[in-house]
Amino acid sequence: MSILQKFELAAASGVDVVNDRRKNKRYRIGGAVSFHWRDEMGRERRDTGRLRNLSTAGLFIDTHVDPPPAGTELNLEFDFDGLKRSVLVKAKGRITRVESAGAAEQSSSFAVVTIRMRLQEPSAI
């Protein structure tokens, strides 16, 4: 079963789908996501955020830290509970857009286009 089929199955079981004119359906997932990347000095950096939505083409993440700049490749991990059991999603992606909020909001968001994404069954974790 492809990742797209698994997302479709999850949508049928109660995951909220964002309906708009985009090519790929987006699913409101929520939950924590961890991500790591190498900064411009080559240092390994790690942080966490909240997954706002997900599609087969990418993710949108809210965070309380300054995200890496657009163009940065990063690795991501999060639990996906929409398949009647939790699976671990591991993805590699590239940041396409960063939305920095004002000082009053103290949060930022960023969009990631996925390069690859794979699901791990709980027994493999």
Side-chain angles (χ1 to χ4, degrees):
M1 181 182 292
S2 73
I3 288 177
L4 175 59
Q5 290 168 322
K6 290 180 180 182
F7 290 158
E8 291 289 342
L9 178 64
S13 65
V15 174
D16 190 19
V17 178
V18 178
N19 291 315
D20 61 18
R21 294 182 177 165
R22 295 180 192 213
K23 180 180 175 182
N24 300 297
K25 289 182 184 176
R26 293 179 295 146
Y27 302 94
R28 289 190 184 132
I29 302 295
V33 59
S34 63
F35 50 95
H36 59 97
W37 73 100
R38 293 208 176 270
D39 67 14
E40 62 279 347
M41 302 297 287
R43 294 177 296 216
E44 178 82 13
R45 304 284 306 271
R46 293 183 174 276
D47 225 311
T48 60
R50 282 292 300 143
L51 187 59
R52 185 186 303 178
N53 63 55
L54 166 74
S55 77
T56 56
L59 310 94
F60 198 76
I61 299 167
D62 295 321
T63 182
H64 290 289
V65 298
D66 287 332
T72 301
E73 284 192 5
L74 69 167
N75 293 296
L76 308 107
E77 290 186 9
F78 59 93
D79 288 324
F80 180 63
D81 296 322
L83 299 170
K84 298 188 180 174
R85 68 179 187 275
S86 181
V87 294
L88 178 66
V89 178
K90 291 188 173 191
K92 180 175 184 166
R94 185 180 67 258
I95 297 176
T96 58
R97 186 177 81 247
V98 174
E99 296 179 3
S100 296
E105 293 181 39
Q106 297 179 339
S107 66
S108 298
S109 302
F110 61 99
V112 176
V113 62
T114 51
I115 297 168
R116 78 171 175 263
M117 188 181 303
R118 72 175 191 257
L119 306 179
Q120 282 188 333
E121 298 296 327
S123 60
I125 300 174

